[in-house]
Amino acid sequence: MSSEAAVRLAEIACELCIEAGIGNLTMRAVAERAGLTPPAVVYHFGNREKLLLAALEALRQRLLATYQAIVAGLRAEAVGDMDAHSAICAALIELVATEGRAFAASDDMARALAVTAQAQQAGAVVAGMYGDAETFWRALPAVDALPEDARVLCVAVPLGLIPYAILDRVAARRNAMIVQAITRLFARLHGAAVILRETAGDLAPLEDEARPEGKQQIVEATIRLSGRLGIAGLTHRNIAKEAGLSAAATTYFYPTKEDIVVDAARVVQMRAIDAVIAGHVPPPKFPSRIALDADSEERSELAALTAFMNAAAMLPDLGNLAATFRWIRGLAAVRWLRARGYAVDRLDGIIWSSATTPLTRKALLLPKAQRAAFLDDTAEIWLHRLFGQS
């Protein structure tokens, strides 16, 4: 993709993915926005997969430009004496406000490309994006003065906080959460005493409800389809077809699409985390059991959970689902950390969940044989750095 026209088309494709989700990316949609005919887009890219790959690279360049602007602003003379804590808070607030949807879109784009002929090229772009992000967080004022083991966590935690932060559409509340989380992170990194807050919500593992056969079929069909179509592509009709039921059956059990998605998301959350840790004291090498399947690929339930979270952040009609995910964020991590013997609260759970999100993504970029050991060994080092010996 070398021509100026192809670059512009890729940027338009990137914009469409951010605005409406990858399910709405078509050659025709890009052509219409560019004022061209679909064959003109086909001429440059050949097929939708290659167009999506080009859009992912365009998104990388977009984020890189944002990173550079934020670093330049924070390193301006007027704020040259800013400490690392303040710099990270300011950068994260700005990044979420300007590019939050872009991060959600990039994850969906990468997942979609991972099962195509463009998987290797997409993996290289994703690896480059992680490199860009690491360079960005390390380039913020005063971060380079921190010890290396602290710098590593000052990259991982803010990056992992982004998908959680974008679930909250109230800017003031979202920004307050960011400041609270980064403040707690620095307290933990400095070994300072923290005042633990009572954890809201029930920390007991979720229990699935007993559903009638048809209702259960609809939930299972929704989970399967979400991985192939994205949440935006779900309809009562195609869910019914996937479930082998009539459209009337889906509307009988679930009047709206959001009702289906919320119930399916609850099941996915339970399967992704609760079913793994319920009733067990987690052994040392446990993160890989949560994140990876027997073939060292990402567990399908965890992948579906991420897809649901991204959709909740991007789609206005899934506001209730976004609120649900904000509520449960960190609660499973609290159970896990307490079972390991750490005195923590939900804010610590949010920090730990945030740290392990990019850690899992980085592990998946490695050869399969290295993934579990990298994930478990790094997580153990980070646990001790944040919370001390259990």
Side-chain angles (χ1 to χ4, degrees), residues 136-224:
F136 165 66
W137 293 108
R138 286 173 176 265
L140 294 177
V143 171
D144 58 351
L146 298 172
E148 175 58 22
D149 56 357
R151 285 201 298 271
V152 169
L153 284 158
C154 284
V155 171
V157 173
L159 190 57
L161 269 173
I162 292 173
Y164 173 56
I166 61 178
L167 288 168
D168 197 337
R169 298 163 192 179
V170 179
R173 185 174 59 202
R174 180 180 69 220
N175 295 345
M177 180 280 298
I178 288 172
V179 172
Q180 285 180 319
I182 299 302
T183 299
R184 175 63 65 84
L185 169 64
F186 271 79
R188 289 299 192 182
L189 289 174
H190 291 139
V194 299
I195 299 175
L196 298 180
R197 304 176 183 180
E198 183 177 349
T199 299
D202 184 6
L203 290 182
L206 291 176
E207 293 184 5
D208 199 9
E209 68 175 80
R211 299 179 183 84
E213 182 178 356
K215 192 173 185 180
Q216 187 66 38
Q217 287 174 255
I218 293 168
V219 167
E220 300 296 344
T222 302
I223 293 171
R224 292 194 301 271

Side-chain angles (χ1 to χ4, degrees), residues 174-333:
R174 180 180 69 220
N175 295 345
M177 180 280 298
I178 288 172
V179 172
Q180 285 180 319
I182 299 302
T183 299
R184 175 63 65 84
L185 169 64
F186 271 79
R188 289 299 192 182
L189 289 174
H190 291 139
V194 299
I195 299 175
L196 298 180
R197 304 176 183 180
E198 183 177 349
T199 299
D202 184 6
L203 290 182
L206 291 176
E207 293 184 5
D208 199 9
E209 68 175 80
R211 299 179 183 84
E213 182 178 356
K215 192 173 185 180
Q216 187 66 38
Q217 287 174 255
I218 293 168
V219 167
E220 300 296 344
T222 302
I223 293 171
R224 292 194 301 271
L225 278 177
S226 65
R228 303 202 300 265
L229 303 177
I231 304 302
L234 294 177
T235 66
H236 274 93
R237 187 173 299 279
N238 61 23
I239 292 172
K241 182 178 180 181
E242 178 75 14
L245 300 170
S246 67
T250 63
T251 55
Y252 170 76
F253 288 115
Y254 299 101
T256 70
K257 185 177 85 170
E258 183 177 2
D259 294 329
I260 305 177
V261 170
V262 168
D263 201 18
R266 183 179 184 277
V267 172
V268 166
Q269 193 267 343
M270 180 193 66
R271 292 178 182 173
I273 300 173
D274 288 333
V276 179
I277 69 175
H280 300 285
V281 175
K285 295 186 176 181
F286 199 73
S288 64
R289 285 180 54 192
I290 294 175
L292 305 176
D293 62 19
D295 196 35
S296 289
E297 295 287 1
E298 184 177 26
R299 288 183 60 220
S300 58
E301 297 92 344
L302 206 59
L305 182 63
T306 302
F308 281 121
M309 286 183 64
N310 287 339
M314 295 182 72
L315 301 178
D317 59 339
L318 294 182
N320 289 340
L321 182 59
T324 298
F325 281 128
R326 290 203 315 273
W327 178 255
I328 66 175
R329 179 70 167 186
L331 294 183

Side-chain angles (χ1 to χ4, degrees), residues 21-231:
I22 64 172
N24 294 284
L25 178 64
T26 64
M27 298 287 196
R28 182 174 298 280
V30 172
E32 288 178 354
R33 179 163 295 194
L36 301 171
T37 61
V41 182
V42 174
Y43 169 79
H44 287 288
F45 300 102
N47 58 46
R48 183 180 181 274
E49 291 176 6
K50 292 181 179 178
L51 174 62
L52 186 58
L53 177 64
L56 182 63
E57 176 59 40
L59 194 151
R60 179 189 177 187
Q61 296 306 317
R62 170 179 168 146
L63 290 177
L64 190 56
T66 301
Y67 291 154
Q68 292 168 347
I70 291 174
V71 170
L74 290 177
R75 286 194 172 275
E77 183 177 354
V79 291
D81 58 351
M82 180 178 289
D83 61 30
H85 168 269
S86 299
I88 291 174
C89 286
L92 186 53
I93 288 170
E94 177 69 12
L95 200 57
V96 169
T98 58
E99 301 292 359
R101 291 176 64 90
F103 278 97
S106 70
D107 189 70
D108 286 345
M109 294 158 76
R111 289 176 185 277
L113 286 164
V115 294
T116 71
Q118 310 304 316
Q120 185 173 356
Q121 296 95 315
V125 176
V126 171
M129 293 174 78
Y130 276 108
D132 297 341
E134 183 169 349
T135 299
F136 165 66
W137 293 108
R138 286 173 176 265
L140 294 177
V143 171
D144 58 351
L146 298 172
E148 175 58 22
D149 56 357
R151 285 201 298 271
V152 169
L153 284 158
C154 284
V155 171
V157 173
L159 190 57
L161 269 173
I162 292 173
Y164 173 56
I166 61 178
L167 288 168
D168 197 337
R169 298 163 192 179
V170 179
R173 185 174 59 202
R174 180 180 69 220
N175 295 345
M177 180 280 298
I178 288 172
V179 172
Q180 285 180 319
I182 299 302
T183 299
R184 175 63 65 84
L185 169 64
F186 271 79
R188 289 299 192 182
L189 289 174
H190 291 139
V194 299
I195 299 175
L196 298 180
R197 304 176 183 180
E198 183 177 349
T199 299
D202 184 6
L203 290 182
L206 291 176
E207 293 184 5
D208 199 9
E209 68 175 80
R211 299 179 183 84
E213 182 178 356
K215 192 173 185 180
Q216 187 66 38
Q217 287 174 255
I218 293 168
V219 167
E220 300 296 344
T222 302
I223 293 171
R224 292 194 301 271
L225 278 177
S226 65
R228 303 202 300 265
L229 303 177
I231 304 302

